[in-house]
Amino acid sequence: QVQLQESGPGLVKPSQSLSLTCTVSGGSITTNDYYWTWIRQPPGKGMEWIGYIAYSGSTYYGPSLKSHTSISRDTSRNQFTLQLSSVTPEDTAVYYCARWRSDFQAYDYWGQGTQVTVSS
């Protein structure tokens, strides 16, 4: 059974950087055809796709956040990390990590989500 667990600060000040880590158990992040994704949901809004790091290590970001987003990984710890720079209150959201399975064209595992609030 694959499990994903987000971790990181619950409160970040405006203009600071946000770093969230997703720890994966029960499966390797280097296994072919899986894309390890970050998604968020601001309060009262729909889900917003942030980006992914693929099994190969390649990355892809959504256009709205691309300029201040970076996703990396630590294969020795089976973790991948989201970094958002220069955050604003509009970055307040519940952040989720999830696994996209390309053969199913669907997300098959999700973390439980972590609340991040950007406030001074």
Side-chain angles (χ1 to χ4, degrees):
Q1 179 78 1
V2 175
Q3 293 184 318
L4 291 80
Q5 177 70 55
E6 304 92 346
S7 60
L11 179 64
V12 183
K13 295 185 185 302
S15 80
Q16 291 186 340
S17 292
L18 165 66
S19 181
L20 296 174
T21 295
C22 183
T23 300
V24 179
S25 59
S28 172
I29 63 173
T30 61
T31 300
N32 282 0
D33 299 330
Y34 293 137
Y35 296 78
W36 303 91
T37 307
W38 286 100
I39 297 165
R40 71 182 185 182
Q41 186 169 26
K45 298 184 179 180
M47 302 291 266
E48 180 180 21
W49 189 85
I50 300 172
Y52 68 68
I53 185 162
Y55 59 95
S56 61
S58 63
T59 54
Y60 186 83
Y61 306 112
S64 64
L65 294 170
K66 183 177 181 179
S67 63
H68 70 125
T69 301
S70 176
I71 299 174
S72 60
R73 68 180 184 175
D74 183 339
T75 56
S76 67
R77 296 183 177 183
N78 217 37
Q79 297 175 331
F80 62 106
T81 298
L82 169 69
Q83 290 190 310
L84 288 180
S85 61
S86 304
V87 297
T88 71
E90 286 66 44
D91 293 308
T92 295
V94 178
Y95 285 75
Y96 298 90
C97 56
R99 188 178 83 169
W100 172 265
R101 185 167 171 169
S102 62
D103 54 348
F104 286 1
Q105 290 292 291
Y107 296 102
D108 59 354
Y109 291 100
W110 291 76
Q112 84 283 1
T114 187
Q115 173 70 48
V116 175
T117 300
V118 180
S119 175
S120 56

